[in-house]
Amino acid sequence: MGEKLTSLTEAEKTLAGLIGINTLVFACWQIPRLAPFMSKWFMHLPGGRRNITLLTSCFSHQEFFHFTFNMVGLWSFGQFVHDYVGREQFLAMYLSSGIMANVVSHNMSLFLRNSRPLLPGLGASGAVYGLLAATAVIQPSASISLIFLPMVPIQLSAALPVIMGFDIAGILLKWRRFDHFAHLAGASAGIGYMVFGQQYIWGPLVKKVHELRNSK
């Protein structure tokens, strides 16, 4: 067991840690006695006062399919992005995409509350969409299979607009099965970070930290 752990790459160790946290939270959801606690601290309700759930809900899944789908996406796209930007930037981008997805979903849900019910949100979908979009920016020629065309590999440069178009359709047609605002926000965060983040966010942040350290 120890040898297997030491043979993991840095990306695999990071992703295994994230998946481990998601698995633990998913297991807690399966214990009926914990349901009130989980609903309070691991589910984000638009209009609620617990801002911490903007973060904790990114690790939270009640349904097995939702959990499995997101963890497969995290493992599939996470390794490539992690290797490209490194652990620190990867975690910053992943968590930022998830939180931004929740913030946008929160605000749009409140804005449209007269025409749509306020529904609680949870899941890593926004963060995983950020990884998917980031991969499309880094390696647009990479291929994936869409869930409704599982046997047909499609280049990410073409697949990402299709996936985002599906979420736009979901918003316009008021579909409620998925949080389409969160998906679009997460994907937009992934694209934005890969295009602008390293130059205008991460670079200046690292420079500032080094300046503070050297000034002591």
Side-chain angles (χ1 to χ4, degrees):
M1 182 67 178
E3 292 182 2
K4 188 173 183 179
L5 289 175
T6 56
S7 67
L8 294 177
T9 66
E10 289 301 306
E12 289 172 339
K13 291 176 183 177
T14 302
L15 297 175
L18 291 173
I19 292 174
I21 296 172
N22 279 273
T23 302
L24 178 61
V25 176
F26 173 73
C28 290
W29 272 113
Q30 310 314 307
I31 304 174
R33 186 175 296 180
L34 294 179
F37 174 83
M38 300 302 293
S39 297
K40 181 177 181 180
W41 295 108
F42 286 88
M43 180 180 285
H44 183 72
L45 180 65
R49 297 182 178 181
R50 298 185 185 90
N51 292 333
I52 188 63
T53 57
L54 290 169
L55 172 62
T56 58
S57 64
C58 294
F59 297 92
S60 184
H61 303 82
Q62 286 180 295
E63 300 175 0
F64 179 76
F65 174 80
H66 190 202
F67 165 76
T68 302
F69 189 81
N70 279 341
M71 294 306 98
V72 170
L74 171 57
W75 186 263
S76 300
F77 301 111
Q79 294 188 58
F80 186 83
V81 178
H82 189 291
D83 289 341
Y84 187 83
V85 300
R87 175 178 286 166
E88 292 79 9
Q89 279 197 77
F90 172 82
L91 289 173
M93 193 205 77
Y94 179 78
L95 295 175
S96 297
S97 295
I99 293 172
M100 180 177 292
N102 282 336
V103 168
V104 171
S105 175
H106 171 104
N107 285 291
M108 293 308 299
S109 294
L110 292 178
F111 180 73
L112 298 172
R113 62 184 178 274
N114 292 330
S115 58
R116 300 167 183 258
L118 283 178
L119 299 175
L122 75 169
S125 299
V128 172
Y129 263 66
L131 296 180
L132 167 64
T135 304
V137 174
I138 300 168
Q139 189 67 36
S141 61
S143 297
I144 63 169
S145 295
L146 301 181
I147 192 169
F148 43 83
L149 289 173
M151 304 303 294
V152 182
I154 303 175
Q155 286 192 350
L156 277 176
S157 58
L160 183 61
V162 172
I163 294 171
M164 296 181 74
F166 173 82
D167 284 305
I168 292 173
I171 292 172
L172 297 177
L173 298 175
K174 298 182 180 181
W175 295 339
R176 297 177 184 175
R177 184 66 181 87
F178 303 105
D179 191 340
H180 299 288
F181 283 115
H183 291 176
L184 288 172
S188 299
I191 294 171
Y193 187 85
M194 295 314 303
V195 175
F196 303 108
Q198 291 179 294
Q199 180 178 358
Y200 296 107
I201 299 176
W202 190 257
L205 179 62
V206 171
K207 181 179 179 181
K208 186 65 177 179
V209 170
H210 287 166
E211 289 176 351
L212 290 174
R213 286 178 177 177
N214 293 332
S215 65
K216 291 182 180 180

